[in-house]
Amino acid sequence: MAISVALLGFGISGALIVLFRSAASRLPTQLFVWAALAFAVTAPGAFLLAQQVPFNALEVIWAPAQLLYLGLIYLLLAVPFTAGASCIGIAFQEPDAIPGRVYFWNLLGSGFGALGIIGALFVLSPVGSLVLVAALALAAAVVVGWQHGARVRILMGFGCVLAVSAWWAAPNEWTALRISEFKGLTRALAVQEARLLTEHSNPLALLSVVESPAVPFRYAPGLSLTAPALPPAQRGIYEDGAFYTAVELWGGGNGDLEYVAYST
């Protein structure tokens, strides 16, 4: 789905550049700046709006309206890809552009972007990584638009400050990653006294650790029904919102791990 959304955005961008070829040839720099600004705004903005769409994949079979919600998500997420791809296409419309050179920087940037997002996901959350990508687009717009006089510079500087301030001032529940209500993590946090201890992001998954003192985890696959001991209190680990495994809160005594002798 992610690849198809990206290709949809690139296709829309190519069609728009062909339809408005004369404008792209006359004002390539200005259009590049606007396209980069549009990507910077819509990359996080479209994501936040898409999270508000009440799409539930489990209902697709018997609720046709869910297909409309899915289409809406496609359209929302295609917007930033359209804006980003337009920057690439417009670069070729610059009168002094050398196609081979544009291709070189385009592919070089794509390669560094692929490596960079992997590194970013080691230190930032998925939402934080998305903001980083938007910030890079904002920087590109500022660099290219800097040559258009003091008035444009002031407007762009004001816009940058406004965008950053709006994101940091927004309530956390607006910008937080929303996990489906049907995921195990959401159900686990609904239990009395359950709380999210920590989250760790990496390129493979978002790991979440949950503690539930009132209803502690008891994860022991393969435990014999005749086992004289039960596992000690545990903490649950969730991968992308789905239950993955649990770890014992081991007190140091061998008695806490007696149950292991009765499991596979």
Side-chain angles (χ1 to χ4, degrees):
M1 178 176 177
I3 293 174
S4 65
V5 169
L7 293 179
L8 176 62
F10 271 71
I12 295 174
S13 168
L16 291 176
I17 291 177
V18 170
L19 289 174
F20 302 99
R21 179 178 298 176
S22 59
S25 300
R26 286 186 293 103
L27 306 168
T29 305
Q30 293 90 327
L31 291 178
F32 181 96
V33 171
W34 283 110
L37 288 174
F39 177 87
V41 172
T42 59
F47 160 74
L48 295 178
L49 290 175
Q51 286 204 124
Q52 307 301 320
V53 178
F55 172 67
N56 175 20
L58 300 176
E59 296 183 31
V60 168
I61 296 177
W62 66 82
Q66 292 297 326
L67 294 176
L68 297 178
Y69 291 141
L70 178 60
L72 179 58
I73 291 176
Y74 259 90
L75 290 176
L76 287 171
L77 298 183
V79 172
F81 285 104
T82 301
S86 296
C87 291
I88 301 172
I90 291 171
F92 286 99
Q93 305 300 316
E94 175 68 36
D96 299 327
I98 301 175
R101 185 174 297 173
V102 176
Y103 270 119
F104 171 78
W105 289 110
N106 174 31
L107 295 177
L108 187 66
S110 298
F112 276 114
L115 293 175
I117 198 63
I118 292 176
L121 285 171
F122 276 112
V123 295
L124 297 174
S125 67
V127 177
S129 299
L130 182 60
V131 174
L132 174 62
V133 171
L136 291 175
L138 194 61
V142 171
V143 169
V144 176
W146 200 254
Q147 57 184 303
H148 290 287
R151 181 180 177 183
V152 175
R153 296 175 189 175
I154 294 174
L155 289 175
M156 295 190 69
F158 177 75
C160 292
V161 173
L162 183 63
V164 174
S165 301
W167 181 267
W168 287 110
N172 185 61
E173 57 269 19
W174 288 11
T175 59
L177 184 65
R178 293 193 177 186
I179 304 296
S180 169
E181 60 182 349
F182 299 100
K183 290 270 190 174
L185 177 59
T186 305
R187 295 198 301 268
L189 292 176
V191 175
Q192 183 180 4
E193 297 184 23
R195 62 192 183 102
L196 183 65
L197 293 180
T198 184
E199 285 188 322
H200 176 71
S201 173
N202 63 60
L204 296 178
L206 176 66
L207 299 179
S208 308
V209 182
V210 177
E211 183 178 54
S212 180
V215 185
F217 289 89
R218 289 288 188 264
Y219 181 66
L223 184 64
S224 170
L225 296 178
T226 62
L230 292 175
Q234 298 174 326
R235 287 174 178 167
I237 299 179
Y238 291 80
E239 181 184 72
D240 290 336
F243 182 77
Y244 177 66
T245 188
V247 290
E248 286 84 9
L249 297 178
W250 186 41
N254 291 333
D256 292 339
L257 301 179
E258 182 182 355
Y259 81 97
V260 176
Y262 299 88
S263 70
T264 55

